[in-house]
């Protein structure tokens, strides 16, 4: 019989000269992992000195489905575990984890000992202990990255390999540029080509992708295994979870690409076999490590091109980019007369905020205004045409759809003390003269602008 009491567990952990804890691991009636409790700890386990005994493991450690799986296998299947985890972004150190099974004949609760150590350097053993099939796949991925001269072709090839290796429904690689307020889906692979992920992500605003960084800050990747995990994340990121439900996502792995302690992109994988999670997550962590340098180089080159045409305060295109695009579109529309719409949006409150609250407040106002415009007109061309004026050109929406966008803009930007847009717009159905349409829209906008200042005489024009 293997009967343990608290004093026995306490003696075990106190004999260890590294941070150590005894976990009690419950097995539920369906044979899956239940509660994991920190039953006994030594003094150095909790670096902050608080008493965590008797609490669930995630009161001290980041909640991680892979970790739960490893602990369960140690306690219930007598599997030892030793690995190095990249926690440099969280703590500035790698974490060496050791998990040792403890024998038990209890039908509901088994036990294991968890020991960790923080180290500046990763031992080469991190790579020597991975299984041959994972090692082979990672090597093949690195080779494929060098086969293609074009970045997008290389990413497409690797993404297809990842989806097939993980037997997932869909996989994609995306980049994130925080200072440019944008993300890009650079590659995708979907089972039987049944869905276009570019179309899916085109309807997701940048702010949703930006929220992932908060979610991932306490772990090395986001894992969704079931509805319970989905509901937990929904409390923090409801807009994102809404898009997942809309696209029938049941399971998900989101692994970040971290370069110079900054997230620059993600590997996004959906609807895979959750029973293979431990092996699956090891593979993704390894592949992400090698993909990061490729993504970082691509972002650097792309950023040099983009900065020349971007307005940094708002995240929309600048006037130089507008002039170039207007000339191009004007020529195209003369040759092919298709319906299009234009709008001029005047940020009527900017001068008043700059004078009364200072230019820092004015910059914050411009940032908020830019986010609203990018969210509403995310499939259109948006430009900051002057200090407080923005132009929108839409070539892919109907007249009614564009009017709905304008109505939404007026609804969301109607605070006379902060973001308030006066808007003039015009839809051309037959003429194809872009410059004339822009002149009409601007003239209509001036009328609404004067009306705003008439209603708010204290505002600075």
């Amino acid at each position: 019989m293997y009967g343990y009491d608290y004093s026995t567990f306490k003696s075990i952990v106190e004999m260890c000269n590294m941070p150590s804890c005894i976990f009690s691991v419950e097995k539920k009636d369906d044979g899956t992992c239940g509660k994991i409790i920190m039953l006994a700890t030594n003094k150095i386990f909790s670096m902050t000195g608080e008493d965590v005994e008797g609490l669930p493991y995630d009161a001290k450690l980041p909640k991680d489905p892979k970790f739960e799986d490893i602990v369960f296998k140690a306690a219930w299947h007598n599997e030892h575990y030793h690995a190095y985890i990249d926690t440099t972004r969280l703590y500035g150190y790698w974490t060496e984890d050791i998990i040792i099974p403890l024998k038990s004949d209890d039908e509901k609760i088994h036990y294991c000992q968890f020991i960790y150590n923080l180290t500046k350097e990763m031992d080469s053993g991190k790579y020597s202990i991975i299984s041959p099939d994972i090692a082979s796949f990672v090597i093949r991925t690195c080779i494929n990255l060098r086969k293609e001269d074009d970045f997008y072709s290389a990413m497409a090839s690797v993404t297809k390999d990842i989806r097939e290796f993980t037997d997932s429904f869909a996989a994609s690689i995306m980049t994130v540029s925080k200072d440019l307020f944008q993300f890009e889906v650079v590659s995708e692979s979907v089972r039987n080509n049944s869905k276009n992920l570019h179309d899916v992500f085109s309807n997701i605003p940048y702010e949703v992708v930006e929220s992932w960084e908060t979610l991932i800050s306490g772990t090395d990747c986001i894992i969704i295994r079931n509805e319970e995990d989905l509901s937990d994340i929904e409390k923090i990121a409801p807009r994102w979870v809404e898009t997942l439900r809309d696209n029938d996502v049941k399971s998900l792995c989101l692994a970040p690409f971290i370069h110079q302690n900054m997230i620059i992109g993600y590997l996004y994988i959906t609807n895979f076999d959750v029973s293979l999670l431990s092996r699956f997550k090891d593979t993704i962590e390894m592949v992400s490590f090698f993909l990061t340098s490729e993504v970082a180089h691509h972002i650097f080159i792309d950023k040099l091109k983009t900065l020349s045409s971007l307005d940094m305060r708002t995240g929309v295109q600048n006037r130089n980019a507008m002039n170039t695009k207007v000339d191009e579109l004007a020529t195209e529309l003369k040759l092919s007369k298709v319906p299009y719409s234009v709008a001029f949006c005047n940020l009527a409150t900017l001068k008043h905020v700059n004078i009364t609250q200072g230019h820092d407040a004015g910059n914050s106002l411009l940032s908020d205004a830019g986010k609203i415009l990018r969210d509403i007109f995310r499939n259109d061309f948006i430009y900051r045409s002057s200090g407080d004026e923005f132009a929108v050109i839409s070539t892919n929406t109907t007249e009614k759809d564009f009017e709905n966008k304008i109505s939404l803009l007026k609804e969301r930007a109607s605070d006379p003390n902060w973001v308030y847009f006066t808007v003039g717009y015009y839809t051309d159905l037959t003429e194809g003269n872009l410059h004339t349409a822009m002149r009409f829209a601007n003239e209509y906008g001036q009328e609404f602008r004067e009306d705003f200042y008439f209603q708010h005489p204290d505002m600075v024009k």
Side-chain angles (χ1 to χ4, degrees):
M1 298 289 290
Y2 298 100
Y4 297 102
D5 56 24
Y6 172 76
S7 61
T8 302
F9 287 135
K10 196 70 173 176
S11 297
I12 293 173
V13 295
E14 287 183 345
M15 285 190 294
C16 185
N17 59 6
M18 292 191 293
S20 179
C21 171
I22 301 295
F23 288 134
S24 68
V25 185
E26 177 191 28
K27 181 164 72 171
K28 296 192 290 189
D29 292 339
D30 62 0
T32 59
C33 182
K35 295 179 180 178
I36 301 175
I37 303 297
M38 295 179 288
L39 207 59
T41 65
N42 61 7
K43 292 181 179 179
I44 56 176
F45 179 77
S46 175
M47 291 182 289
T48 55
E50 77 272 27
D51 182 10
V52 296
E53 292 185 348
L55 299 177
Y57 87 93
D58 56 351
K60 166 65 179 174
L61 306 170
K63 186 175 180 61
D64 185 346
K66 179 188 174 184
F67 183 76
E68 293 173 10
D69 183 55
I70 292 169
V71 169
F72 183 75
K73 287 179 179 178
W76 284 92
H77 300 294
N78 200 37
E79 295 185 12
H80 294 70
Y81 179 80
H82 178 208
Y84 289 82
I85 310 298
D86 185 1
T87 53
T88 52
R89 188 165 173 264
L90 294 175
Y91 311 124
Y93 294 84
W94 285 80
T95 301
E96 179 185 11
D97 287 351
I98 302 169
I99 302 177
I100 304 169
L102 299 175
K103 291 184 178 181
S104 173
D105 56 8
D106 191 293
E107 294 183 357
K108 291 288 186 181
I109 303 292
H110 278 198
Y111 307 95
C112 62
Q113 182 180 12
F114 170 60
I115 304 168
Y116 76 85
N117 184 42
L118 298 180
T119 175
K120 279 287 186 183
E121 300 296 332
M122 179 196 67
D123 192 285
S124 59
K126 173 178 172 65
Y127 292 100
S128 64
I129 62 175
I130 65 174
S131 61
D133 62 331
I134 291 178
S136 175
F137 176 75
V138 172
I139 292 171
R140 188 168 74 250
T141 298
C142 295
I143 293 173
N144 286 340
L145 286 173
R146 295 292 175 262
K147 277 185 178 179
E148 302 284 352
D149 292 332
D150 176 64
F151 171 79
Y152 291 95
S153 298
M155 292 299 107
S157 175
V158 169
T159 303
K160 182 175 182 292
D161 288 345
I162 291 171
R163 189 195 62 75
E164 292 176 350
F165 183 81
T166 58
D167 193 27
S168 54
F169 174 75
S172 64
I173 291 172
M174 64 177 62
T175 60
V176 177
S177 298
K178 292 176 63 177
D179 53 345
L180 303 180
F181 309 102
Q182 65 185 27
F183 69 94
E184 177 190 11
V185 178
V186 300
S187 64
E188 65 171 75
S189 177
V190 181
R191 186 179 297 155
N192 300 324
N193 297 316
S194 55
K195 184 175 287 190
N196 188 320
L197 295 185
H198 283 82
D199 290 342
V200 172
F201 281 104
S202 69
N203 294 315
I204 297 178
Y206 168 76
E207 286 70 28
V208 168
V209 175
E210 188 178 42
S211 71
W212 297 346
E213 183 164 358
T214 300
L215 292 170
I216 216 163
S217 60
T219 183
D220 52 355
C221 72
I222 297 173
I223 296 287
I224 295 175
R225 300 164 296 178
N226 48 39
E227 177 60 32
E228 183 180 350
D229 290 344
L230 202 62
S231 297
D232 287 342
I233 290 181
E234 189 171 23
K235 298 171 186 175
I236 306 171
R239 292 181 71 187
W240 180 36
V241 173
E242 181 181 357
T243 68
L244 296 179
R245 296 191 192 280
D246 288 345
N247 290 281
D248 199 33
V249 173
K250 306 296 185 184
S251 59
L252 178 141
C253 177
L254 184 69
F257 303 137
I258 300 176
H259 179 68
Q260 296 181 347
N261 207 34
M262 180 182 298
I263 293 179
I264 60 172
Y266 294 93
L267 180 55
Y268 193 100
I269 303 170
T270 63
N271 293 353
F272 50 86
D273 186 348
V274 295
S275 67
L276 303 176
L277 180 60
S278 181
R279 170 179 176 274
F280 169 84
K281 190 167 181 280
D282 281 339
T283 307
I284 296 310
E285 289 175 354
M286 295 287 288
V287 170
S288 298
F289 179 81
F290 291 105
L291 286 173
T292 296
S293 61
E294 300 294 324
V295 171
H297 178 71
H298 167 74
I299 288 177
F300 175 73
I301 298 301
D302 193 54
K303 188 176 292 187
L304 291 178
K305 298 176 183 177
T306 305
L307 284 174
S308 63
S309 62
L310 193 77
D311 177 67
M312 299 301 294
R313 298 289 186 201
T314 60
V316 304
Q317 300 292 291
N318 60 26
R319 185 176 181 85
N320 288 336
M322 183 183 79
N323 291 338
T324 300
K325 191 64 180 179
V326 166
D327 290 341
E328 292 176 359
L329 281 176
T331 301
E332 293 175 9
L333 291 169
K334 284 181 181 179
L335 298 174
S336 177
K337 293 180 172 61
V338 296
Y340 64 93
S341 299
V342 297
F344 277 93
C345 313
N346 181 262
L347 187 55
T349 50
L350 179 60
K351 291 180 180 178
H352 184 77
V353 168
N354 274 333
I355 291 174
T356 59
Q357 300 182 44
H359 285 281
D360 286 344
N363 290 336
S364 296
L365 173 59
L366 283 168
S367 177
D368 289 348
K371 287 180 180 179
I372 293 173
L373 289 170
R374 297 196 313 274
D375 192 14
I376 295 174
F377 299 102
R378 50 180 174 262
N379 295 320
D380 302 316
F381 302 107
I382 314 169
Y383 305 95
R384 186 181 179 190
S385 53
S386 66
D388 56 5
E389 187 177 69
F390 298 81
V392 178
I393 305 174
S394 178
T395 58
N396 57 8
T397 55
T398 64
E399 181 177 13
K400 183 173 179 55
D401 287 341
F402 193 74
E403 289 176 350
N404 289 337
K405 290 182 179 182
I406 296 297
S407 296
L408 181 59
L409 176 63
K410 291 179 178 179
E411 177 184 327
R412 291 184 56 183
S414 58
D415 182 355
N417 296 312
W418 194 242
V419 180
Y420 193 109
F421 276 120
T422 60
V423 185
Y425 66 97
Y426 182 83
T427 297
D428 186 321
L429 300 176
T430 58
E431 296 300 318
N433 192 319
L434 180 58
H435 290 96
T436 299
M438 295 181 72
R439 187 178 73 250
F440 287 159
N442 195 22
E443 289 173 355
Y444 298 151
Q446 292 297 329
E447 295 177 13
F448 289 110
R449 183 182 182 185
E450 292 302 321
D451 183 60
F452 169 81
Y453 291 124
F454 178 78
Q455 295 182 38
H456 302 83
D458 294 335
M459 299 296 288
V460 180
K461 289 187 179 183

